[in-house]
Amino acid sequence: MRHCLNLLLLSLLGTVSGCAVTLPQPESAQLAPKASAWQTPLPTTSHLAEQQVWWQSWQDPVLNTLLNAAQQANPTLELAEARIREARAKAYATKAYLWPTVGATASGSRSHNTMIAPAQPINAGSVGLDASWEIDLWGGVRTAEKNLLANLSARTIEWQDARASVAAEVANAYVALRAYQALAEIVALDLKSRNHSLQLTQEKEQVGLASPVDVALLDASSADALAQWVETQEGIGMAKQALVALTGWSAQQVNAQLEQGAPRLPQPVGFAMNAVPAIVITQRFDIRVAAENVNMAAAEVGISKVAQLPSLSLFGVISLGQQEVGSLSINGNAWSFGPTLKLPIFNAGRLKSEEAAAVARYDQALAAYQQKVRFAVREVEQTLQQLDGNQRRIAAMQRSVAGYQQQQDASNAMWQAGSASLLDLEVSRRFLLGAQVKQMALQRDQLSLWIALYKAVGGQWPVDGIREEAIVK
């Protein structure tokens, strides 16, 4: 009878262990964006690079050095790495539940009781092994493992996102710095010109060829240019502080690195971009994390279903003991083995409610994924629209600067010849400087928009091999 029961139990285990609860699966129509093509034309530049080597295509050694420095020691990346290690440890810990647990015990005691004759000391000791194994009848452990593996994948994606985000922050700070430096050169030349005009007018006033009003006008104009120059220096200082915080270098190291490059804006370089929104969107880190959140929520639904089903565990004990009373010694061993079957019968609807809550969380995760997809499509479309509009504004502003420069040169020549008033000269100067400032701002915006598009399409940081393998595996 015992052998028959054992065979029946093994047969039952073989049949039931192949059963597993079904997990909810979203339909493909629920995941893909509805748009089959971008509504805004893709941007075009004289040079297109692949995203993996996009930063190198800027051909700016100073920027590349700063980017690599920020990737080496950054608290954001270290935090993401620690989360990966935690998620990996949890995933490995779950796999252990698929195997039996074995423990060893050892005990010893010495006692003396005068109430029992003869009153002699009693020595007792035992050693033993105990083992237990909860059978994964319905795939609950494997479902929990899927949940934690999805969590591990999400944390790894977040680490990759952190790398791209840090690169974008460094690039934006660097672009801002170079824009302020280039603008500072323009303002410094303008300030020098205004100071020279002020000095000449003061000399003319001394001999009666200029009025105090003209001197006051040029003095106010010089002060205005000085204020603009101070503003550019403030912007340079703030951009440098941002680079110090991002790279972890000292201010002296950052300054030394920046001095190796020319104070000019990098030339905008585009990158190849797929025309199919579904392909582009699924590259984004936040979309991939949202997809893993859906997988985690689906696994939680499976776990809640398994909690309502019977569970079977095996338990076994082997014990060796010895007891000594005076000259009498008793040795022996004991063992036991048997299954334990647990069946949830009444829990006041708690398990059903937990399943309903898990299903609701799954629906929330799926809705959050769909919302992120829509937002991602909108973000890419808006960035493409801004790039296109900004490029047109740059072309128009180039014509504006060229025209105001001609007017300024002519007004300056006429003023020196005495055929134009000082007011005419200052008006043309203000028009030219305003156009140059707008042109520089638009060029900076163009680079910033390319960086924003890099982030919007899920731009990848180049794989460096050793570190990537150490984190991902």
Short mmCIF file of all heavy atoms in Angstrom, two decimals, residues 263-294:
data_model
loop_
_atom_site.label_atom_id
_atom_site.label_comp_id
_atom_site.label_asym_id
_atom_site.label_seq_id
_atom_site.Cartn_x
_atom_site.Cartn_y
_atom_site.Cartn_z
N PRO A 263 36.52 78.84 -28.11
CA PRO A 263 35.22 79.27 -27.54
C PRO A 263 34.18 79.51 -28.63
O PRO A 263 33.77 80.65 -28.90
CB PRO A 263 35.59 80.56 -26.81
CG PRO A 263 36.74 81.11 -27.57
CD PRO A 263 37.52 79.92 -28.05
N ARG A 264 33.73 78.48 -29.26
CA ARG A 264 32.74 78.58 -30.32
C ARG A 264 31.75 77.43 -30.19
O ARG A 264 32.05 76.39 -29.59
CB ARG A 264 33.39 78.54 -31.70
CG ARG A 264 34.18 77.26 -31.96
CD ARG A 264 34.74 77.21 -33.36
NE ARG A 264 35.52 76.00 -33.58
CZ ARG A 264 34.99 74.81 -33.87
NH1 ARG A 264 33.68 74.68 -33.96
NH2 ARG A 264 35.76 73.75 -34.06
N LEU A 265 30.58 77.62 -30.76
CA LEU A 265 29.56 76.57 -30.73
C LEU A 265 29.95 75.43 -31.65
O LEU A 265 30.44 75.66 -32.77
CB LEU A 265 28.22 77.14 -31.17
CG LEU A 265 27.36 77.83 -30.11
CD1 LEU A 265 26.14 78.46 -30.76
CD2 LEU A 265 26.92 76.84 -29.05
N PRO A 266 29.74 74.18 -31.23
CA PRO A 266 29.95 73.06 -32.15
C PRO A 266 28.98 73.14 -33.32
O PRO A 266 27.89 73.72 -33.22
CB PRO A 266 29.68 71.82 -31.28
CG PRO A 266 29.76 72.30 -29.87
CD PRO A 266 29.34 73.74 -29.89
N GLN A 267 29.37 72.57 -34.43
CA GLN A 267 28.49 72.55 -35.59
C GLN A 267 27.41 71.49 -35.39
O GLN A 267 27.71 70.37 -34.96
CB GLN A 267 29.28 72.24 -36.86
CG GLN A 267 30.27 73.34 -37.24
CD GLN A 267 29.58 74.67 -37.49
OE1 GLN A 267 28.57 74.73 -38.19
NE2 GLN A 267 30.13 75.73 -36.93
N PRO A 268 26.14 71.82 -35.67
CA PRO A 268 25.07 70.83 -35.49
C PRO A 268 25.21 69.65 -36.44
O PRO A 268 25.45 69.82 -37.64
CB PRO A 268 23.79 71.63 -35.77
CG PRO A 268 24.24 72.76 -36.62
CD PRO A 268 25.64 73.09 -36.20
N VAL A 269 25.10 68.47 -35.88
CA VAL A 269 25.19 67.23 -36.66
C VAL A 269 23.93 66.42 -36.41
O VAL A 269 23.53 66.23 -35.25
CB VAL A 269 26.44 66.41 -36.26
CG1 VAL A 269 26.50 65.11 -37.05
CG2 VAL A 269 27.70 67.23 -36.49
N GLY A 270 23.29 65.97 -37.46
CA GLY A 270 22.09 65.15 -37.31
C GLY A 270 22.43 63.68 -37.14
O GLY A 270 23.59 63.28 -37.18
N PHE A 271 21.41 62.88 -36.91
CA PHE A 271 21.61 61.44 -36.82
C PHE A 271 20.48 60.74 -37.58
O PHE A 271 19.39 61.30 -37.76
CB PHE A 271 21.66 60.95 -35.37
CG PHE A 271 20.50 61.39 -34.52
CD1 PHE A 271 19.27 60.76 -34.58
CD2 PHE A 271 20.63 62.48 -33.66
CE1 PHE A 271 18.21 61.17 -33.80
CE2 PHE A 271 19.57 62.90 -32.88
CZ PHE A 271 18.36 62.24 -32.95
N ALA A 272 20.77 59.53 -38.03
CA ALA A 272 19.79 58.77 -38.79
C ALA A 272 18.62 58.39 -37.88
O ALA A 272 18.81 57.95 -36.76
CB ALA A 272 20.44 57.51 -39.37
N MET A 273 17.42 58.55 -38.41
CA MET A 273 16.22 58.30 -37.62
C MET A 273 15.23 57.52 -38.47
O MET A 273 14.97 57.86 -39.63
CB MET A 273 15.60 59.62 -37.17
CG MET A 273 14.31 59.50 -36.39
SD MET A 273 13.78 61.12 -35.80
CE MET A 273 12.05 60.77 -35.44
N ASN A 274 14.66 56.45 -37.90
CA ASN A 274 13.71 55.61 -38.63
C ASN A 274 12.42 56.38 -38.86
O ASN A 274 11.96 57.13 -38.01
CB ASN A 274 13.44 54.32 -37.85
CG ASN A 274 12.85 53.24 -38.72
OD1 ASN A 274 11.74 53.36 -39.20
ND2 ASN A 274 13.62 52.17 -38.93
N ALA A 275 11.82 56.16 -40.03
CA ALA A 275 10.59 56.87 -40.38
C ALA A 275 9.35 56.22 -39.79
O ALA A 275 8.26 56.79 -39.87
CB ALA A 275 10.44 56.94 -41.91
N VAL A 276 9.48 55.03 -39.19
CA VAL A 276 8.33 54.32 -38.63
C VAL A 276 8.25 54.63 -37.13
O VAL A 276 9.17 54.30 -36.39
CB VAL A 276 8.45 52.81 -38.85
CG1 VAL A 276 7.24 52.08 -38.27
CG2 VAL A 276 8.61 52.50 -40.34
N PRO A 277 7.18 55.27 -36.67
CA PRO A 277 7.09 55.62 -35.24
C PRO A 277 7.19 54.44 -34.31
O PRO A 277 7.81 54.54 -33.24
CB PRO A 277 5.72 56.31 -35.14
CG PRO A 277 5.45 56.83 -36.52
CD PRO A 277 6.06 55.82 -37.45
N ALA A 278 6.59 53.29 -34.68
CA ALA A 278 6.60 52.14 -33.78
C ALA A 278 8.02 51.67 -33.48
O ALA A 278 8.33 51.28 -32.35
CB ALA A 278 5.79 50.99 -34.39
N ILE A 279 8.90 51.74 -34.47
CA ILE A 279 10.28 51.31 -34.26
C ILE A 279 11.03 52.31 -33.40
O ILE A 279 11.79 51.94 -32.49
CB ILE A 279 10.99 51.12 -35.62
CG1 ILE A 279 10.30 50.01 -36.42
CG2 ILE A 279 12.47 50.81 -35.42
CD1 ILE A 279 10.89 49.79 -37.79
N VAL A 280 10.80 53.59 -33.64
CA VAL A 280 11.49 54.63 -32.88
C VAL A 280 11.04 54.63 -31.43
O VAL A 280 11.86 54.71 -30.51
CB VAL A 280 11.25 56.00 -33.54
CG1 VAL A 280 11.85 57.12 -32.69
CG2 VAL A 280 11.84 56.03 -34.94
N ILE A 281 9.73 54.53 -31.23
CA ILE A 281 9.19 54.65 -29.88
C ILE A 281 9.66 53.50 -28.99
O ILE A 281 9.96 53.70 -27.80
CB ILE A 281 7.66 54.72 -29.93
CG1 ILE A 281 7.21 56.01 -30.62
CG2 ILE A 281 7.07 54.63 -28.54
CD1 ILE A 281 7.76 57.26 -30.01
N THR A 282 9.72 52.31 -29.53
CA THR A 282 10.13 51.15 -28.71
C THR A 282 11.60 51.21 -28.33
O THR A 282 12.05 50.40 -27.52
CB THR A 282 9.83 49.84 -29.45
OG1 THR A 282 10.41 49.88 -30.76
CG2 THR A 282 8.34 49.62 -29.58
N GLN A 283 12.36 52.15 -28.89
CA GLN A 283 13.75 52.34 -28.46
C GLN A 283 13.83 53.14 -27.17
O GLN A 283 14.86 53.06 -26.47
CB GLN A 283 14.54 53.10 -29.54
CG GLN A 283 14.75 52.36 -30.83
CD GLN A 283 15.51 53.20 -31.85
OE1 GLN A 283 15.99 52.68 -32.83
NE2 GLN A 283 15.61 54.49 -31.61
N ARG A 284 12.80 53.91 -26.88
CA ARG A 284 12.86 54.80 -25.72
C ARG A 284 12.96 54.01 -24.43
O ARG A 284 12.31 52.99 -24.25
CB ARG A 284 11.63 55.70 -25.69
CG ARG A 284 11.64 56.82 -26.72
CD ARG A 284 10.35 57.59 -26.67
NE ARG A 284 10.05 58.13 -25.36
CZ ARG A 284 9.95 59.43 -25.08
NH1 ARG A 284 10.16 60.32 -26.04
NH2 ARG A 284 9.64 59.85 -23.88
N PHE A 285 13.75 54.55 -23.50
CA PHE A 285 13.96 53.86 -22.24
C PHE A 285 12.69 53.83 -21.39
O PHE A 285 12.39 52.81 -20.76
CB PHE A 285 15.10 54.53 -21.47
CG PHE A 285 16.42 54.46 -22.17
CD1 PHE A 285 16.97 55.57 -22.77
CD2 PHE A 285 17.12 53.26 -22.25
CE1 PHE A 285 18.19 55.51 -23.42
CE2 PHE A 285 18.34 53.18 -22.90
CZ PHE A 285 18.87 54.32 -23.49
N ASP A 286 11.95 54.95 -21.36
CA ASP A 286 10.76 54.97 -20.52
C ASP A 286 9.69 54.02 -21.05
O ASP A 286 8.94 53.41 -20.27
CB ASP A 286 10.21 56.38 -20.41
CG ASP A 286 9.88 56.99 -21.77
OD1 ASP A 286 10.39 56.50 -22.79
OD2 ASP A 286 9.10 57.97 -21.81
N ILE A 287 9.63 53.84 -22.38
CA ILE A 287 8.68 52.88 -22.95
C ILE A 287 9.08 51.46 -22.61
O ILE A 287 8.24 50.62 -22.26
CB ILE A 287 8.60 53.06 -24.48
CG1 ILE A 287 8.14 54.48 -24.83
CG2 ILE A 287 7.66 52.04 -25.09
CD1 ILE A 287 6.78 54.84 -24.32
N ARG A 288 10.36 51.17 -22.66
CA ARG A 288 10.82 49.82 -22.33
C ARG A 288 10.62 49.51 -20.85
O ARG A 288 10.26 48.38 -20.49
CB ARG A 288 12.30 49.69 -22.73
CG ARG A 288 12.52 49.72 -24.24
CD ARG A 288 13.96 50.04 -24.60
NE ARG A 288 14.90 49.11 -24.03
CZ ARG A 288 16.21 49.28 -24.05
NH1 ARG A 288 16.73 50.38 -24.58
NH2 ARG A 288 17.01 48.38 -23.52
N VAL A 289 10.83 50.50 -19.99
CA VAL A 289 10.57 50.30 -18.57
C VAL A 289 9.08 50.07 -18.34
O VAL A 289 8.67 49.21 -17.55
CB VAL A 289 11.07 51.50 -17.75
CG1 VAL A 289 10.58 51.42 -16.31
CG2 VAL A 289 12.59 51.56 -17.78
N ALA A 290 8.23 50.85 -19.03
CA ALA A 290 6.78 50.68 -18.89
C ALA A 290 6.36 49.29 -19.36
O ALA A 290 5.45 48.68 -18.77
CB ALA A 290 6.05 51.75 -19.69
N ALA A 291 7.00 48.76 -20.40
CA ALA A 291 6.69 47.41 -20.86
C ALA A 291 7.06 46.37 -19.81
O ALA A 291 6.31 45.40 -19.58
CB ALA A 291 7.42 47.12 -22.17
N GLU A 292 8.20 46.57 -19.15
CA GLU A 292 8.59 45.64 -18.08
C GLU A 292 7.64 45.76 -16.88
O GLU A 292 7.38 44.78 -16.19
CB GLU A 292 10.03 45.91 -17.65
CG GLU A 292 11.08 45.64 -18.72
CD GLU A 292 11.10 44.18 -19.15
OE1 GLU A 292 10.56 43.31 -18.42
OE2 GLU A 292 11.66 43.89 -20.22
N ASN A 293 7.12 46.96 -16.64
CA ASN A 293 6.13 47.12 -15.56
C ASN A 293 4.86 46.33 -15.87
O ASN A 293 4.23 45.78 -14.97
CB ASN A 293 5.80 48.60 -15.38
CG ASN A 293 6.94 49.38 -14.76
OD1 ASN A 293 7.82 48.80 -14.11
ND2 ASN A 293 6.95 50.68 -14.97
N VAL A 294 4.48 46.27 -17.15
CA VAL A 294 3.33 45.45 -17.55
C VAL A 294 3.62 43.98 -17.28
O VAL A 294 2.76 43.24 -16.77
CB VAL A 294 2.99 45.69 -19.03
CG1 VAL A 294 1.90 44.72 -19.49
CG2 VAL A 294 2.53 47.12 -19.25
#
